[in-house]
Amino acid sequence: MESGSGLDPSKSKGSGSGEGKFGAFLKRVEPFLPRKELNPVELRSWAKKTGFVSDYSGETSTKLGETESSAFDLPKGRDHQTDRASSRQTDLDPILGRSRRSDIGSDPESKPGSIEEERGSNRNEAAETPLENEGGKISRDLENGCYYPGGREGVGGGWPKPIVMKYGLRDNPPSYGPLICYGLQHYLSLAGSLIFIPLVIVPAMDGSDKDTAAVISTMLLLTGITTILQCYFGTRLPLVQGSSFVYLAPALVVINSEEFRNLTEHKFREIMRELQGAIIVGSLFQCILGSTGLMSLILRFINPVVVAPTVAAVGLAFFSYGFPQAGTCVEISVPVIVLLLICTLYLRGVSIFGHRIFRIYAVPLSALIVWTYAFFLTVGGAYDYKGCNADIPSSNILINECKKHAYTMKHCRTDASNAWTTSPWLRIPYPFQWGFPYFHMRTCIVMIFVSLVASVDSVGTYHATSMLVNAKRPTRGVVSRGVALEGFCSLLAGIWGSGTGSTTLTENIHTINITKVANRRALAIGALFLIFLSFVGKLGAILASIPQALAASVLCFIWALTVALGLSNLRYTQTASFRNITIVGVSLFLGLSIPAYFQQYQPLSTLILPSYYLSFGAASSGPFQTGIIQLDFAMNAVMSLNMVVTFLLAFVLDNTVPGSKEERGVYVWSRAEDMEMDPAMQADYSLPRRVSQFFGCRCCY
């Protein structure tokens, strides 16, 4: 211990005076100065530069072979060392000119509580007392995913206390049983995001029920493969890769373009091959963005004020599709939404055998219950109409009375799908299964913009997840590596033909928060199960038979959750700042209004397309007309996408309107030098040893 620090643990015990106690140190400034000649102004400038914000925590830890002493912690970075190393904490706020909260440190004998798990070390009784007094409140806070020291959020936009994880990045259970359970649990909680996208795009492409089952199996296979790649060769954070809603809106724009509206033969395959080519080009752009280091430069301009409205716009883009599609069977859609709200909000604190079943499995439980209810409605004759047959295509129905009910029978009946009878038991998805892709400039330009938005979405997810799992923030190089691998994963999606690109699912944040499991090996084992299940053709057939109204109802909830998760990024900023709320408000409003302007230039579409597809049909007849057909299509399509317009507005405004780093909540990433000197950080983010030796050491950082 350096002289002059005043934190010598040998002097903290054994003296009868109050100065030997932690509470006494809070009232004395001098002992906390590392050097007597240090100018406090230097500390202020250091805090402003690094974004340091104290949350006044008072964690204690025991070091083997030494007496217990107060821990040193920088809450802003939440830099956690290994279990053997103990940390020491100093209160820099008196030096920085900040006032200490009255509820902490007012009593010389008081000591803030600690919520970190015991890992074989003994605890000081003084550190356990606050937990005993506030045990009920802290446990409730932990279940909600956060803990605020002193009962309030950190000052100046500081992050809440890290939540306690059952299993961290490198924590492994003693057997494979818990790993398998936790892995499957993670994917079941994301079931809505993984399997419902094919139920939207395949019917829009006039694909058969067999095609829907095949696309679902393909998505399960790609989700398993890409998740394993991301866990071990990307950022190495516990994130599931899958078909993202970021790619859903542009896919619907391509599907509803004039070129494909009048196709009668092989419409599904023609559109799928068009999407494959566009996704491949967009993924190559994303690979270049990450592997060349351009993403590291762009990261300087991507901050929460940009990420929040962009991710929120991804969910808001489907407000015209959600309930208009679900409302075709209100007797099914309304119970689904009500059950989802009951499970996630009213029953979130109910524990069964120590597990929050209703929070973790809200989507599959609600869908299964209402699916069973819809089955009894179908068997009971609720959708039987005299002289009408649900198996006859609506275009071949001649009886006017049956034409009125054809839409209801198709969207509500549980036996309307023939996927079970047409799908094989064993089917292995293979590359270019729909044919060789088409490459057209118009759709490729659209997907390049979309891949950029997907990268921005992933940046916010990387940052939030690293804070959630109590790891140090990744370096810019690690983020670039993750974006490059996402581009490679989208390349695989384009080659296999899933209809959408692959990216990090934003819903991961919610899943990790409620399951308290952030283990890479658990995700990898669950991904292996997905790969195996993708070969079972009948499983895809079962999922393909979900009524479309039920799927749309679940998607209404998931899209709303996406909006909420996007806006939650604003917690890193000064949310009361007029600058921030103006940028977010203007970006979101114009991000919805400008595409609406482009979407009104389609007089013929209103006679051809259903109402819930009208907002995706502006690419062929928008106001942008230069005479170059390919360019006109691309620009009208791009400007009709809510998320792209919102991102461009937020990006320009946030980087041109003056504002301090604290006000903007600028992301602070770790430095490569820090990673080289920190073994724990290398274990979290470095590539496997043989891989790093093959590509060179710089790939680790």
Side-chain angles (χ1 to χ4, degrees), residues 12 154 213 337 396 628 700:
S12 62
I337 296 175
N396 297 339
I628 305 176
C700 299

Side-chain angles (χ1 to χ4, degrees), residues 370-701:
V370 177
W371 196 2
T372 305
Y373 163 67
F375 170 77
F376 285 111
L377 287 179
T378 303
V379 174
Y383 305 115
D384 290 339
Y385 302 99
K386 187 177 180 180
C388 303
N389 189 347
D391 296 331
I392 300 177
S394 57
S395 58
N396 297 339
I397 296 177
L398 301 178
I399 304 175
N400 292 331
E401 192 65 25
C402 291
K403 288 183 178 180
K404 297 179 182 178
H405 304 299
Y407 197 78
T408 301
M409 290 189 295
K410 179 180 178 181
H411 287 73
C412 305
R413 295 183 66 95
T414 56
D415 59 355
S417 173
N418 61 359
W420 178 263
T421 57
T422 57
S423 298
W425 277 99
L426 178 65
R427 184 186 185 277
I428 301 177
Y430 55 91
F432 305 118
Q433 55 188 327
W434 316 116
F436 193 78
Y438 296 139
F439 296 94
H440 294 117
M441 184 182 72
R442 56 188 180 188
T443 52
C444 292
I445 293 176
V446 174
M447 285 302 174
I448 286 175
F449 276 94
V450 173
S451 64
L452 181 60
V453 174
S455 301
V456 174
D457 184 3
S458 298
V459 167
T461 305
Y462 295 160
H463 187 272
T465 304
S466 66
M467 306 301 290
L468 191 63
V469 303
N470 305 336
K472 292 184 179 180
R473 288 156 296 182
T475 63
R476 287 188 172 91
V478 171
V479 174
S480 297
R481 190 178 72 202
V483 170
L485 189 67
E486 281 193 15
F488 179 73
C489 294
S490 291
L491 178 64
L492 296 180
I495 293 175
W496 258 264
S498 64
T500 60
S502 177
T503 186
T504 301
L505 300 181
T506 307
E507 299 86 344
N508 274 288
I509 303 173
H510 174 69
T511 301
I512 295 175
N513 190 16
I514 61 179
T515 60
K516 305 296 186 296
V517 176
N519 186 263
R520 282 193 292 253
R521 186 174 295 181
L523 257 66
I525 291 177
L528 292 176
F529 275 91
L530 283 188
I531 295 174
F532 171 76
L533 293 176
S534 67
F535 301 149
V536 183
K538 292 298 184 182
L539 176 63
I542 293 174
L543 298 176
S545 62
I546 297 176
Q548 292 186 22
L550 191 154
S553 304
V554 174
L555 289 174
C556 284
F557 175 80
I558 296 176
W559 288 329
L561 182 62
T562 303
V563 176
L565 290 173
L567 294 178
S568 68
N569 284 279
L570 293 175
R571 70 186 182 272
Y572 303 118
T573 69
Q574 294 181 2
T575 53
S577 168
F578 179 77
R579 173 196 181 275
N580 293 344
I581 61 178
T582 301
I583 292 175
V584 173
V586 169
S587 301
L588 275 178
F589 178 79
L590 292 181
L592 297 176
S593 187
I594 292 177
Y597 167 75
F598 278 77
Q599 293 160 9
Q600 69 181 351
Y601 286 88
Q602 43 180 341
L604 297 178
S605 300
T606 57
L607 304 176
I608 302 174
L609 297 176
S611 59
Y612 45 82
Y613 286 145
L614 288 177
S615 59
F616 305 105
S620 302
S621 55
F624 192 92
Q625 299 293 334
T626 63
I628 305 176
I629 298 177
Q630 299 283 336
L631 181 61
D632 294 344
F633 180 96
M635 295 309 299
N636 286 320
V638 167
M639 296 306 294
S640 67
L641 294 175
N642 305 88
M643 56 187 177
V644 175
V645 177
T646 301
F647 164 69
L648 294 176
L649 289 170
F651 183 83
V652 172
L653 291 175
D654 184 53
N655 290 284
T656 55
V657 178
S660 64
K661 291 184 178 181
E662 292 80 5
E663 184 180 17
R664 298 170 61 195
V666 174
Y667 288 143
V668 180
W669 306 99
S670 298
R671 299 179 304 171
E673 295 81 4
D674 299 334
M675 186 170 176
E676 291 176 353
M677 296 183 295
D678 191 342
M681 192 175 178
Q682 290 183 19
D684 286 340
Y685 295 115
S686 292
L687 291 174
R689 182 178 302 175
R690 293 183 180 179
V691 178
S692 61
Q693 290 175 351
F694 178 79
F695 286 104
C697 61
R698 288 191 61 83
C699 289
C700 299
Y701 310 128

